[in-house]
Amino acid sequence: MNKKQPKTVKRTTLMWSILIALVVGGGVAYSVAYFQTRAVVSQAQTDTASMQKIQSVYETIEGNYYKSVSSKKITNGAIKGMISALNDPFSEYMDKSEATSLNDQISSSFSGIGAEVQKSDQYIKIISPIKGTPAKKAGLQPGDLITAVNGKSIAGKSVTDAVNLMRGKIGTKVTLTIKRAGKSFDQTLTRAKIPVSTVNSRIINKKIGYIQITSVSERTAAELKTALKRLDKKGVSSYILDVRDNPGGLMNQALKMSSMFLKNGKTIMQVQTKNGQRQVYKAGKKYDGGYKVTKPVAVLMNGGSASAAEIFAGALHQSANVPLIGTQSYGKGTVQTVSDFKDKSEMKITIAKWLTPNGDWINKKGLTPTYKADYPKYAYLQLINTNKTYQIGDVSTQIKTLQKELKALGFFNDKVNGYFGSTTKTAVTAYQKKEKLSVTGTANKKTILSIETKIQSKIAKNDQALNKAESIVSK
């Protein structure tokens, strides 16, 4: 190891989610928030006792270890060890391929199962599955722990290493072992291309503009403005902004998005460094280009709403009195800086907190909704494994889920116990008759998929948070 450290270029970065899309073939994709321009960082001094000790260890290994070892491997191990000692899930070292995927995530161009995750003790925790992706379709939920990949435990592995195990070609399958509410189960997903568009919009109830923001990437603010203008031309009278299950992303986009809904001079957010100093970011033309929304607005959020999504929701709530509807948000309130090394690797460390306009630090707490409302309970049922046909005498958690779904659809009135008995068979038979399916009394793949499609439709019709928002903006 040379005494001089590799020169780095630092991007002062505000990262509210070191949220990782489980990717295929392209490394690890991170959702970050770039803020200021790059600046050359001074080289670290090596004359301290600590650095001399590290140098001594390196030289001892290089000169005395019984077999040849890669100097790059030793260096990377030392860096990862130092970062690991921080015990911070949002600080990490990435090699070239992983850093490349970070930039893919920023540009909303990546592939995978579509789940944003972070380190949680020995395992990996899902922060939010992205709408329309394999993770969301498989019923993965915020808070789920991934404990194994394809039967291989990931206990103690870094986020990067765990995600590497989940890589593969689009169309291939990966089996995750999920722990939820103390119970474990396997879920097989088919890897796919993750949607690039982050904003979807439509008109509901003839006069309300509904806009769903699925993540916050390079084009999100522009996509949002386009959606707003299009809906405005169609004569909508109010807006519902849905950031449920939005894992966050870029700070500069969150600033631009928020500024559209705030009067100039109103605070969007604050950043506080370890010495207590705060930098305040306020709405203005430099963020929104002079475009403002003055019609009534409501924001939908839930436990999957994190980082930049929380900045957006918090800014509108505290600086524009916009009501928040749903459940407690995730709670991601720290700031990271990213340093680029010449070999294309990158390092992230937490450097500050970000605060809401009122100065609240929501880390690990989240934003509290003005009105609490949620999807019905059956919206959170895991998908049933369709590789098996369920019949009389079978007992499993899959059958318990089937019974809950049939109950939600009005076909099952007995006790939910996971046993496929006569009442379950009667319910399945009745469902098959009504939906004009082959009447077998067994739950085969076609029947299960039909039931789950009906459940999704019922969820959409019984979205309590959306219904509440509609009543508020319609006043």
Side-chain angles (χ1 to χ4, degrees):
M1 178 183 290
N2 297 326
K3 290 188 178 181
K4 290 186 178 180
Q5 300 299 306
K7 183 179 289 187
T8 66
V9 177
K10 178 175 290 185
R11 294 169 295 181
T12 303
T13 304
L14 302 185
M15 186 189 303
W16 3 107
S17 61
I18 192 152
L19 311 173
I20 298 177
L22 307 183
V23 301
V24 296
V28 184
Y30 295 86
S31 181
V32 299
Y34 287 82
F35 170 55
Q36 296 178 345
T37 56
R38 297 172 182 245
V40 176
V41 179
S42 300
Q43 291 184 343
Q45 299 300 312
T46 61
D47 56 356
T48 64
S50 294
M51 291 306 296
Q52 289 174 352
K53 185 175 182 180
I54 293 173
Q55 180 73 22
S56 177
V57 170
Y58 179 89
E59 291 175 349
T60 299
I61 292 174
E62 187 178 52
N64 299 290
Y65 190 61
Y66 80 102
K67 61 181 180 179
S68 297
V69 62
S70 166
S71 59
K72 182 177 180 180
K73 185 175 182 180
I74 295 175
T75 301
N76 288 347
I79 295 171
K80 290 182 178 180
M82 285 188 283
I83 294 175
S84 177
L86 299 175
N87 195 29
D88 177 9
F90 305 107
S91 296
E92 190 168 8
Y93 171 76
M94 297 177 293
D95 62 24
K96 180 180 178 179
S97 65
E98 296 161 352
T100 297
S101 290
L102 178 147
N103 295 320
D104 288 343
Q105 169 74 7
I106 292 167
S107 63
S108 280
S109 176
F110 59 89
S111 303
I113 67 167
E116 304 289 351
V117 305
Q118 73 171 47
K119 184 74 173 176
S120 179
D121 295 325
Q122 290 293 301
Y123 298 109
I124 303 299
K125 181 168 68 175
I126 293 177
I127 293 177
S128 176
I130 300 171
K131 185 176 178 63
T133 65
K136 185 67 175 179
K137 292 176 181 178
L140 300 188
Q141 301 175 14
D144 282 350
L145 287 180
I146 302 173
T147 61
V149 179
N150 291 330
K152 184 176 181 179
S153 174
I154 59 172
K157 292 186 178 296
S158 67
V159 171
T160 298
D161 290 339
V163 170
N164 285 341
L165 292 175
M166 303 177 206
R167 293 178 184 172
K169 295 181 180 180
I170 293 175
T172 60
K173 296 183 182 298
V174 59
T175 299
L176 308 181
T177 300
I178 304 295
K179 186 174 183 180
R180 178 188 300 165
K183 297 181 179 179
S184 293
F185 60 92
D186 287 342
Q187 189 71 54
T188 300
L189 301 88
T190 301
R191 301 177 177 101
K193 185 71 176 180
I194 304 304
V196 173
S197 176
T198 61
V199 177
N200 303 301
S201 62
R202 67 178 189 271
I203 295 176
I204 56 178
N205 283 349
K206 298 182 179 181
K207 60 180 180 178
I208 299 173
Y210 170 82
I211 300 177
Q212 180 189 53
I213 307 170
T214 58
S215 62
V216 184
S217 64
E218 282 182 344
R219 296 182 293 276
T220 301
E223 289 178 11
L224 175 59
K225 184 179 291 187
T226 297
L228 288 164
K229 288 182 176 181
R230 182 181 65 82
L231 292 171
D232 191 54
K233 286 182 179 180
K234 292 188 176 182
V236 300
S237 59
S238 56
Y239 295 102
I240 294 174
L241 307 174
D242 191 346
V243 295
R244 288 178 294 183
D245 296 323
N246 181 323
L250 306 179
M251 174 193 168
N252 68 337
Q253 296 296 301
L255 292 173
K256 291 178 180 180
M257 293 159 58
S258 301
S259 189
M260 297 180 203
F261 300 88
L262 307 184
K263 292 181 180 179
N264 288 343
K266 286 288 187 177
T267 298
I268 299 173
M269 64 175 292
Q270 305 177 53
V271 172
Q272 181 179 332
T273 58
K274 66 180 179 181
N275 62 13
Q277 293 184 337
R278 295 187 184 185
Q279 184 170 359
V280 180
Y281 299 89
K282 297 185 177 183
K285 190 173 182 179
K286 70 175 182 177
Y287 294 128
D288 56 46
Y291 178 79
K292 296 291 185 181
V293 176
T294 57
K295 295 176 180 178
V297 174
V299 173
L300 302 181
M301 67 177 191
N302 66 2
S305 305
S307 76
E310 292 176 295
I311 290 173
F312 178 63
L316 269 60
H317 178 58
Q318 294 186 1
S319 289
N321 296 317
V322 170
L324 303 179
I325 304 163
T327 58
Q328 203 79 7
S329 67
Y330 179 80
K332 171 67 178 70
T334 55
V335 175
Q336 282 73 38
T337 186
V338 179
S339 297
D340 295 322
F341 293 92
K342 282 188 174 181
D343 64 358
K344 308 288 182 158
S345 61
E346 295 184 350
M347 176 180 69
K348 298 183 300 297
I349 59 169
T350 300
I351 59 168
K353 304 174 181 179
W354 73 262
L355 313 173
T356 66
N358 292 349
D360 301 326
W361 191 38
I362 65 166
N363 202 54
K364 297 183 179 180
K365 295 183 292 184
L367 296 165
T368 299
T370 312
Y371 302 96
K372 188 173 182 179
D374 199 3
Y375 292 114
K377 289 184 178 180
Y378 51 81
Y380 296 100
L381 294 174
Q382 68 186 68
L383 295 187
I384 299 171
N385 183 355
T386 57
N387 293 326
K388 179 182 178 181
T389 295
Y390 305 92
Q391 56 193 347
I392 284 283
D394 289 345
V395 180
S396 70
T397 56
Q398 301 282 293
I399 294 171
K400 183 178 289 188
T401 299
L402 173 65
Q403 291 171 334
K404 290 179 180 179
E405 290 181 341
L406 288 168
K407 184 180 283 287
L409 295 174
F411 289 91
F412 184 75
N413 297 310
D414 202 359
K415 182 179 179 181
V416 174
N417 56 13
Y419 172 67
F420 200 118
S422 59
T423 54
T424 302
K425 179 179 180 180
T426 298
V428 171
T429 299
Y431 179 85
Q432 290 172 331
K433 287 180 179 179
K434 182 176 181 181
E435 297 302 317
K436 296 181 172 54
L437 298 172
S438 177
V439 181
T440 63
T442 61
N444 54 25
K445 181 176 182 178
K446 192 171 183 178
T447 299
I448 293 170
L449 292 177
S450 175
I451 290 172
E452 291 178 339
T453 298
K454 289 292 182 182
I455 285 290
Q456 290 301 316
S457 178
K458 188 175 178 66
I459 291 170
K461 293 178 181 178
N462 291 275
D463 187 340
Q464 298 171 14
L466 180 58
N467 292 341
K468 181 64 177 178
E470 288 181 33
S471 67
I472 291 173
V473 299
S474 296
K475 293 180 179 179

